[in-house]
Each structure stands twice: as structure tokens, then as C-alpha cells.
Amino acid sequence: MSKFKRFVSSVATTAILVSGISTASFAALPGDVLGTDFEEAAKVLGAFDIMVGDAGTGLFRPEDPIKRSEVTKVAVALKGLTNAANSSTATKFPDVAQGHWATGYINVGTSEGLIIGDDLGNFRPDDNITYAEAVTILVRALGYEPQAQSKGGFPTGYLVTGNSTGLTNGVAVAAMARNSKPVTRGDIAQLAYNSININLMEQTGFGENAKYEITDETLLTSKLNAKLVQGRVTAVGSAALEGAGLEKGKIQIDDKVYNVGNADVRNVLGLQVDAYIIDKTSSKEHDTVKAIVPTAGKNSITTIAADDIESITSGSSSKVINYLKGNKKSKITVSDDSIVVYNGKSASFDAIKEIEAGSIMVHDYSKNKKIVFINETQNYVVDEVALASDRVIDKYGKAPLTLDPEDESVTFTIDKDNKQIGVADLKEWDVITLTMSEDKSLIYGSVIQNAVEGKITEKDDKGVYIDGEKYEVAANYPNEFALSDEGVFYLDQEGKIAAFDEQGKIERNYAYLSNIGVKSGLNQSLEIELFTFEGKVETLKAASKIKVDGKTYSTASAALDAIGGKGQLITFELNANGEISEIDKSFSSEEIDEDEFVLNFSEEDVEYSAKTSKLLADTMNIRVGADTLVFDIPVDAKDAEDYSIADKSFFSDGGKYDITVYDVSEDLTAGVIVVTSSENKASEESSAVVVEKITKSKNEDGESVEKLYGYQNGERVTFTSDNAIFRKGSLNLEKGDIIQVKADAKGNAKAISVLFDIDKAESEFSKEISEDLTVEYGKVSKKFTDSFNLQVNDSAAKNYSVGDAKVYTIDTEKTSNAISVGDASDIQKYDSASPERVFVRIYKGEVMDIVIIK
């Protein structure tokens, strides 16, 4: 029997749908820079085609390292030499292959003296570049190399010059601290953005009278043929601070009108802005806005994500937006004389409402006046494109999106990899995140080309974990995910799951029959309570004719006799009315039969080996695979609500279990395991939990329970217990303790293991818990780029690589917010003046969790 049906599907190429208030498209901004420190730089550099998102994914990747070839492209583009680069195709360096995408940029960059090759005559196009090297290239592009040389040359002179000119504003402190490390794409974006408005240095004397002077020209004015205009936006199309507004495709800054061009102008009304303007081509035309961003420090804007809005209440002449700011409740009162812009167009005061996705921006543009920008997003997941009617059909039943190129009331473009394509190029599974004005005449959308392939391993009320990584679910996705779901998860602009292409569909609907009975009445009916493989308790009615093991029964009593009593694993099928039409019971066999529903064996007190991932039974050693479905059915459970679905992580090394095993494959991997009794022991491979606090509460049945709050896998988590297990010996767990937890899918804790007692934070230790699990606690004697040396007491130091380990910090001096999620940069060499020690959990030789205790 094949447990999973595999569906072959390609990850469809996504596209960016953009439609606006002019005949040109808005420039698409990569979703991973929205709301970051790099958003402004990415927007302007993208508009001038100096630095854009990846062609394959559309992402900007601001935290990733950048290559020498990529920085060269940025510098050459800043100098306005892109056309020259495109015409230079013959490679000059032996390690730059013929046809390399950056050949022209490398040729021009080296000819201009912006960058040089190495001593061996190679260019090393794919090597990373350091912060000092990047600053040097841009100092040369600005003409300040003579000054840099006079101040000491590379690297000090260039860094000093970069700092004095303003080139390194916003990046110098962070990047200089990692001067020997690869510089990030975000740092380069900020450096390049800073450079375009710095006055250039030019040579004005030659020979013995060599002289260099700072001019009035900038890269923006002399190389990019644009100018910077600063002022307040007083009108955008029909929306205006005062008066009737402008015609379509126009924007007014102070008292001057410009063409909108490709700039995104939806949320700039009333703002002080930096507008990058391309000069008009004739006296009859308006200058055109190339890019526009809010002027730093000149606007009072509050941006509230949809997820943070708690409620919007109405008064006689105002509305109050109640929202969360961090962990604190805040509110903004908006009067009914405020200007409201809904998805890019003027709207009524009633448009201020709670939204499922997107954001609300409130701008205090004068003492008593506010502008409210409501950006309500929605996702379209392409099922198909009906070319005859120019309609995009949504996969989840949303009303079709009509994109008729002949309809002059709605102008749109489709953008893929920063190039326009036709509607026909949209593919199945494209996720289009868009805003649409109330009259549907203004549509703006974008798609981040990002999909995750994997399996859901955990879930809670905030989202799901795909192979351990947490993702929220977008409002447009209508279904509920199950722990067994496996396939391709398509993400929207906010990184939420908007679509799911199932590749791991369970071929059989396994369920544990928890109750069954005949309901009396005029027509007797059979009712069956099932705990399904999706972790749901469902009471379903049997069809008037139901098959049991292939034989049809027409009466409820006959069907009941054939099915037998409760407390067994079955498979079932539903008819179109949602009634159970077929039930198959397993048959016992020690033989492997992958085509039938087989109960292979049942045994008590079976030990699990984490090293081999096997249950060591007398009958046979059964492998627990990543796809093995585990039904946790405790014998002392009160009802089916106490059952849970688990996976391989349910089992702990050396733990003992009472099990029934079904559908074993030829490689002795269990298809399904029903566990009726388990030794309460946390799995050694489960991630560490840093305890924040323990509270008392009541569950849905009104019973007293304890709730543990803590941090696990880089996220804040909650576990519940009604068995007083949150203990270390006779004492309650407390803030700073580090534990492992065995819990079901609902977060009900079954057992814990204490790894670190915060009360003993002054005592260093090294403890081998098992062959696979070791914990150590000591001082960092040396810190390196991606690793550190840990010394426990007076023993020899051991070097540990940070890798993908989760890093946390506990500040014992703080009474609130004492625990935070960090990264490798938070690990510091031990200093007795400010002592801090480090806890490390090592599983199978790999560092999994690091906790810094201050």
C-alpha cells in the first residue's frame, strides 16, 4: 500500500500585477524590504535600475552577502554607464566566463578605475566583498580618491572619506563592526542611495598644478539626468488637500504639477517628500516623477498592520482605531473632517474600517488635520486565465478579476522580473496580492515569487510550522491545515501562506473510532464519532446503505454489528452528502502487504531508539519515518477530545510505549502507529524551551490548569498542563529555566525534562545526558565570525559552530522583557566587568540551542 499519492506539479512562475492612475505601471518593490530600513533605498535604486530584486524570486535579500560583480554593476549604473556596459561583451579576465551576465559591467568598472582585479590577473566575480572594499569603490565613483589617498589610503583613508562625505550614513556603525565580513545587499543599497546626492569631486588643475574641487554636481544630476525636489504633496489625481484635485496621472508637490510616471504615489498625499524628477522632454510637458519617498524626519506617520488592529469604534463625529503597539494597547482618534484615501483613491469617512490584511496609515499633516490611508490587500490565487474574457479565475472561489485591455476606465500592466508581460503569461498558482479602489478603477498588486515545499510538522492558533519554520496563514486561504499536509505552500507579499498545492495527500482516510451507536426514531440511523488523521473529532451519520469491508448493509443495526464496537482504527469514505458511505477495518497479518489495510502487530512496553529511529519490538524492529502517522490515544483519556495526532518527534530515546502498528512497508517503516500508553519523557531532539513564566488558568471545561509561557524555535510559545508537571524537583519552574517539553498538537504538555536551573547560574557544568544529547554551560573564551570557544570551569575550551542554532538572551537583572531572541552577534567574549555565561544544547554533534545568561 502506498500511503501517499504523489502529484507532480511545477512551481509556477509568478507575476506582478500592477495597475494604476496613469498609463505606466508602478515600480514593483520587493516584499522583503517593505517596512525595513532599506525600503527607501530599494525603492529609489529600483526606479533607476541600479539595484533591483532577484529575477528568479523578486526578493531583494537585504541581509544576504553581495558579490564583487554585483557591486561593480551598482557602481557602473550609478555613473550612468549602463549602456556602455551593455555594449562591452568580450571578457578581459580569465575567470570571467564568456557570456557572464556582468562582463560589460566588469569591463567598464575596471576601465573607469572603480575596481581592480587581483595580483594574479583574476577578477573573482562571485567572491563576496567587504564593507571597506565597497566604500572604496563608491568613494572612487564620487571622485574622492585623491582625498582618500591623502588620508592614508586603503582602508582607513577611504573609510574616513566615506564618513566625512555622508556616504556611510546609516550603515557605518553596524557595517564597520563587521569590516572583515562580507557586506550585505542592504548595506550596499544604503551606501548607493546615500551616494546619489553627494556633491562630486572633480580635478580642475593638472600636472604640477593638480587641484581637486567639490562641485555643485551629483551623480543624480550629472550621471542619472534627474533632480531632487523636496516639498509637500498637495494633490494626487483626484485626491487633494484642498480643491478639486488634478487629472488622472498627475501629482502636485507644493505648487508644481508633475507626471506620475512609474512612481508609487498611493500613500504620499499630504507628506513631505523627496521626489526624484526626470526633466520634461518638451516645453509642453510636465516633468516626470521617477521615484518618491517620504522625507526622513519630516512626517508624523503611524502605520498599523491589519493584524494589530483590535477594533474601530465610532462616535458622533469621529472614529477610534484601537490597536496593539508591541505588547501595549494604543489608540488613535480620527475626526470626520479627515481626508480618507482607500487603496489609492479618495473615499468617504465610512471607508475607515477593520481590515483582514494590509495596513492603515494615519498621517498628522497639520495640527488639527489627519489623512488616513487604508491599504486593504487581498490575494488572488490563479486557477486559470480566461483569455476570451480577460478574466483571472481565483482558485478559492473569489469573484473573477477582469483585466480587459480595451477598458479605458481601468489601466493595468503585468510585470514579471521588472518587465511587462501579457495577461496570458499568468500561470496556475500565481499569488497576486493587490489593493483595489472602491470603484475598482485603481488596482495595484504585487507577487513575491516565493514558495516553500515541505510538510506541516506543528500548528497552533497563530499558524503552522513547515519543517520547523513558522508561517502564518493568509485570510484568503479557506481551508484548515492538518499535521500530515505536505506539498508546495505559496506565500503572499507578507510571507503568509496564500495557497497550497497538496503533494502528500493521504490515500486512506484513517480515523480512530471513538464511539458508535444507533439513533432511534422514525428511521433508525447509525451515528459514528471519529477522531480523524487531521486531529479533528467529528460525529458523522452513516449513509442509508453503507459498505463495511466491501459488503453493503441497509440497516443501522446490521451495519453496527459488522463494524463492531468502538476503540479501533478504521478507514472511511464520505458520500456527496457528507455521510459515511464506506468503512474498512484492518485485518491482522504479520506479512507485509502494501495493497491492503493491515494490522501488523500490537505490543506493550516497546522501547524507542532515537539513534536508529526504530521501535525495538519482539515481533520486529519497526522504523518510524518522517511520514509515519501517530495516533496518541491514552487509555485513561476521558473522551476523544483528549486524543491527539503526532509524528516521529513524539517518541523519546529510551522511552517505553504500548503500540499497535499498521501498514508496514517493505523497508519496515510503519504507516500508522496507535500509541495507547507512553512513558512521560520529553524527546531529546525536541527544541529547548526558555521559560518565561507560569500562570494558573482554566480550560474549556472550567478545570484548573497551569500555562507555561516561554520561547522555542525563535518564537514565543505556550504549553498547558493539568497535572502539575511544570516543576524542577519540589519547586516550580521559573523565569530563565531551560527545559524540553513533550506535548501534543494542541500544546498540552505531557512531560518535561529540565536542562538548566537558573537558580544555579553561577555553577558551570558539562553534562552528557545520553549518547546523542549533551548540554554545556560556561564562559566564551574567544569569539569568531561563525563560531566561539566555550570553556567550562578550568577545562580545555571547545569550539562550537553557531550554524542554524536558535539564540536567546536572558537578562537576570530585568523584571520585564528579560528574555529575547537574538543571533550569533549577541555572543560575546566573557568580561568579568559585565559577566555573562552561555548554555549550549548539542544534539548528535550539532549545536541546536544557545542561551546567553547575563
Side-chain angles (χ1 to χ4, degrees):
M1 185 274 295
S2 175
K3 182 186 175 202
F4 292 100
K5 290 180 180 176
R6 298 290 177 183
F7 295 94
V8 180
S9 64
S10 62
V11 178
T13 303
T14 53
I16 299 172
L17 172 68
V18 179
S19 179
I21 62 175
S22 69
T23 55
S25 65
F26 290 138
L29 186 66
D32 60 343
V33 293
L34 291 172
T36 71
D37 293 339
F38 309 112
E39 179 175 346
E40 187 174 307
K43 183 178 291 187
V44 174
L45 297 177
F48 284 97
D49 200 28
I50 294 170
M51 194 171 180
V52 298
D54 284 345
T57 66
L59 300 178
F60 197 84
R61 299 185 291 109
E63 301 297 335
D64 286 359
I66 192 168
K67 299 176 182 177
R68 280 169 54 85
S69 54
E70 294 170 329
V71 175
T72 303
K73 188 265 185 186
V74 170
V76 169
L78 283 168
K79 294 275 286 184
L81 297 172
T82 297
N83 289 338
N86 289 336
S87 63
S88 179
T89 57
T91 181
K92 293 168 54 176
F93 294 92
D95 63 335
V96 179
Q98 193 70 35
H100 190 286
W101 73 267
T103 295
Y105 293 106
I106 292 169
N107 292 344
V108 173
T110 52
S111 297
E112 290 285 315
L114 300 175
I115 189 170
I116 59 176
D118 63 20
D119 295 339
L120 299 177
N122 294 317
F123 186 79
R124 297 181 286 113
D126 295 325
D127 281 9
N128 294 329
I129 194 166
T130 68
Y131 173 74
E133 291 169 337
V135 170
T136 297
I137 293 170
L138 294 178
V139 165
R140 289 170 178 163
L142 292 166
Y144 284 82
E145 184 160 42
Q147 179 176 307
Q149 288 292 335
S150 71
K151 293 182 180 295
F154 182 84
T156 305
Y158 289 91
L159 292 171
V160 170
T161 300
N163 186 55
S164 65
T165 58
L167 174 65
T168 60
N169 287 352
V171 291
V173 174
M176 287 183 74
R178 54 176 185 269
N179 191 30
S180 61
K181 295 184 181 180
V183 70
T184 67
R185 289 174 55 84
D187 287 336
I188 289 296
Q190 191 61 51
L191 289 169
Y193 181 48
N194 292 342
S195 73
I196 62 178
N197 286 310
I198 294 174
N199 293 93
L200 301 177
M201 178 177 280
E202 294 183 357
Q203 186 171 358
T204 57
F206 300 88
E208 295 181 357
N209 298 317
K211 186 178 180 182
Y212 297 87
E213 294 182 352
I214 297 175
T215 71
D216 292 333
E217 294 290 336
T218 65
L219 291 174
L220 182 69
T221 57
S222 68
K223 307 300 181 183
L224 302 178
N225 301 316
K227 62 185 178 183
L228 174 63
V229 172
Q230 295 180 309
R232 185 183 296 278
V233 176
T234 56
V236 180
S238 61
L241 299 181
E242 297 179 357
L246 307 171
E247 61 182 291
K248 182 179 179 180
K250 305 295 181 183
I251 183 173
Q252 183 171 332
I253 302 174
D254 291 335
D255 58 355
K256 189 165 183 180
V257 175
Y258 303 92
N259 289 321
V260 166
N262 292 342
D264 182 357
V265 296
R266 291 172 300 154
N267 300 323
V268 296
L269 180 65
L271 271 60
Q272 291 283 346
V273 297
D274 294 346
Y276 294 84
I277 307 294
I278 302 296
D279 287 341
K280 58 191 175 184
T281 56
S282 74
S283 59
K284 295 182 180 180
E285 295 178 349
H286 291 296
D287 293 351
T288 299
V289 178
K290 187 76 170 176
I292 190 167
V293 294
T295 303
K298 296 291 186 180
N299 300 287
S300 176
I301 304 173
T302 300
T303 301
I304 309 167
D307 290 343
D308 293 332
I309 299 172
E310 292 198 308
S311 64
I312 297 180
T313 57
S314 298
S316 59
S317 59
S318 65
K319 290 189 177 185
V320 178
I321 305 173
N322 301 288
Y323 66 100
L324 289 176
K325 186 177 182 181
N327 292 324
K328 295 182 179 180
K329 293 187 176 183
S330 299
K331 63 182 180 180
I332 293 178
T333 301
V334 181
S335 60
D336 59 7
D337 61 349
S338 298
I339 297 173
V340 179
V341 179
Y342 178 84
N343 286 347
K345 292 196 72 173
S346 294
S348 67
F349 188 66
D350 291 336
I352 302 176
K353 60 182 182 180
E354 294 179 46
I355 57 178
E356 286 189 324
S359 65
I360 294 179
M361 297 169 57
V362 181
H363 171 44
D364 294 308
Y365 86 95
S366 67
K367 186 176 181 180
N368 299 312
K369 197 83 168 179
K370 288 183 173 67
I371 302 177
V372 182
F373 299 101
I374 302 168
N375 303 304
E376 184 171 21
T377 62
Q378 56 179 306
N379 291 328
Y380 270 80
V381 181
V382 177
D383 189 38
E384 61 177 313
V385 176
L387 292 179
S389 56
D390 299 298
R391 294 191 305 166
V392 178
I393 310 302
D394 177 67
K395 194 169 283 289
Y396 300 119
K398 196 182 293 291
L401 180 66
T402 301
L403 303 171
D404 182 1
E406 302 299 324
D407 185 353
E408 296 183 358
S409 65
V410 180
T411 308
F412 69 90
T413 64
I414 303 173
D415 189 292
K416 175 188 174 185
D417 297 339
N418 297 307
K419 296 178 182 178
Q420 292 186 14
I421 60 172
V423 177
D425 295 302
L426 286 171
K427 300 291 191 301
E428 184 185 15
W429 298 109
D430 284 355
V431 180
I432 307 169
T433 301
L434 58 85
T435 62
M436 184 184 300
S437 61
E438 290 180 308
D439 62 3
K440 296 183 171 56
S441 69
L442 175 59
I443 301 172
Y444 177 86
S446 63
V447 172
I448 300 301
Q449 296 175 282
N450 201 4
V452 177
E453 187 169 4
K455 179 181 178 181
I456 293 179
T457 54
E458 297 178 61
K459 66 175 186 174
D460 55 28
D461 57 353
K462 299 292 186 181
V464 299
Y465 293 83
I466 302 172
D467 297 328
E469 190 75 20
K470 186 170 185 179
Y471 296 88
E472 294 183 32
V473 181
N476 74 289
Y477 187 73
N479 304 322
E480 184 175 342
F481 285 115
L483 281 174
S484 56
D485 284 343
E486 181 179 15
V488 180
F489 301 82
Y490 295 91
L491 309 182
D492 66 6
Q493 188 178 32
E494 296 181 346
K496 296 181 179 180
I497 299 172
F500 174 48
D501 183 10
E502 191 171 32
Q503 293 182 337
K505 181 178 175 63
I506 290 185
E507 183 174 347
R508 289 179 174 160
N509 291 323
Y510 294 104
Y512 193 81
L513 199 161
S514 53
N515 212 343
I516 187 170
V518 175
K519 185 178 181 180
S520 60
L522 185 61
N523 294 309
Q524 289 186 334
S525 62
L526 183 63
E527 290 192 343
I528 304 170
E529 183 186 78
L530 298 177
F531 178 70
T532 71
F533 69 91
E534 295 176 317
K536 298 178 181 178
V537 179
E538 296 187 20
T539 300
L540 301 171
K541 181 181 178 181
S544 57
K545 290 185 178 181
I546 181 173
K547 282 186 178 181
V548 180
D549 291 336
K551 185 177 180 180
T552 301
Y553 296 88
S554 301
T555 67
S557 58
L560 177 59
D561 290 338
I563 295 169
K566 62 183 180 180
Q568 59 175 313
L569 190 73
I570 63 166
T571 66
F572 69 100
E573 297 292 338
L574 301 178
N575 61 21
N577 297 321
E579 300 170 331
I580 297 179
S581 58
E582 184 174 349
I583 284 179
D584 283 320
K585 301 190 298 178
S586 63
F587 74 94
S588 297
S589 174
E590 292 182 1
E591 300 295 324
I592 306 300
D593 188 341
E594 295 192 5
D595 295 320
E596 298 292 338
F597 179 29
V598 179
L599 189 163
N600 296 98
F601 72 91
S602 182
E603 193 166 322
E604 296 180 354
D605 211 29
V606 176
E607 184 174 335
Y608 178 73
S609 168
K611 185 175 182 178
T612 61
S613 297
K614 289 183 178 180
L615 286 159
L616 309 178
D618 293 336
T619 308
M620 63 177 76
N621 292 339
I622 293 297
R623 180 176 174 270
V624 184
D627 294 332
T628 299
L629 192 61
V630 179
F631 281 75
D632 182 19
I633 313 292
V635 291
D636 57 352
K638 297 176 183 177
D639 52 46
E641 293 293 339
D642 294 328
Y643 301 166
S644 63
I645 295 295
D647 59 12
K648 179 181 176 180
S649 64
F650 175 87
F651 300 100
S652 60
D653 188 50
K656 300 292 183 68
Y657 305 89
D658 294 350
I659 59 173
T660 305
V661 181
Y662 301 80
D663 290 339
V664 175
S665 61
E666 290 186 354
D667 65 354
L668 300 185
T669 299
V672 182
I673 301 174
V674 175
V675 180
T676 53
S677 178
S678 61
E679 186 175 77
N680 279 337
K681 183 179 177 183
S683 171
E684 292 180 352
E685 62 183 304
S686 62
S687 299
V689 177
V690 182
V691 177
E692 180 185 21
K693 63 180 179 179
I694 310 288
T695 65
K696 294 188 180 297
S697 182
K698 290 189 180 293
N699 61 18
E700 295 177 353
D701 298 323
E703 299 169 329
S704 295
V705 295
E706 288 184 332
K707 295 183 74 174
L708 183 149
Y709 293 84
Y711 288 83
Q712 184 183 43
N713 293 318
E715 302 280 348
R716 194 168 187 260
V717 294
T718 305
F719 297 100
T720 304
S721 172
D722 57 1
N723 293 321
I725 65 171
F726 299 141
R727 304 287 185 271
K728 47 182 180 181
S730 60
L731 302 176
N732 292 335
L733 291 174
E734 59 186 315
K735 179 172 60 182
D737 289 333
I738 304 171
I739 63 174
Q740 289 178 301
V741 180
K742 176 182 178 180
D744 62 24
K746 298 178 182 178
N748 296 314
K750 307 295 185 181
I752 69 164
S753 299
V754 179
L755 302 178
F756 175 80
D757 186 344
I758 193 66
D759 291 334
K760 302 175 182 178
E762 296 300 320
S763 301
E764 299 177 8
F765 64 85
S766 177
K767 184 177 180 181
E768 184 176 311
I769 296 175
S770 71
E771 183 179 345
D772 293 324
L773 180 62
T774 301
V775 292
E776 296 204 339
Y777 178 63
K779 304 181 185 72
V780 174
S781 58
K782 285 189 178 180
K783 171 70 186 301
F784 307 100
T785 302
D786 298 307
S787 67
F788 59 94
N789 288 353
L790 187 71
Q791 184 175 21
V792 178
N793 295 316
D794 296 325
S795 63
K798 298 179 184 178
N799 180 262
Y800 290 112
S801 175
V802 177
D804 295 326
K806 300 300 181 184
V807 181
Y808 310 89
T809 296
I810 302 172
D811 191 335
T812 57
E813 299 297 320
K814 287 186 175 181
T815 56
S816 61
N817 300 320
I819 303 172
S820 59
V821 179
D823 56 34
S825 65
D826 294 317
I827 304 169
Q828 300 297 327
K829 182 179 177 181
Y830 182 83
D831 181 357
S832 59
S834 178
E836 58 183 53
R837 291 181 172 87
V838 172
F839 168 90
V840 182
R841 183 177 75 90
I842 307 108
Y843 182 69
K844 292 186 175 179
E846 183 178 354
V847 176
M848 308 303 291
D849 298 289
I850 300 170
V851 185
I852 304 161
I853 292 96
K854 295 184 178 181

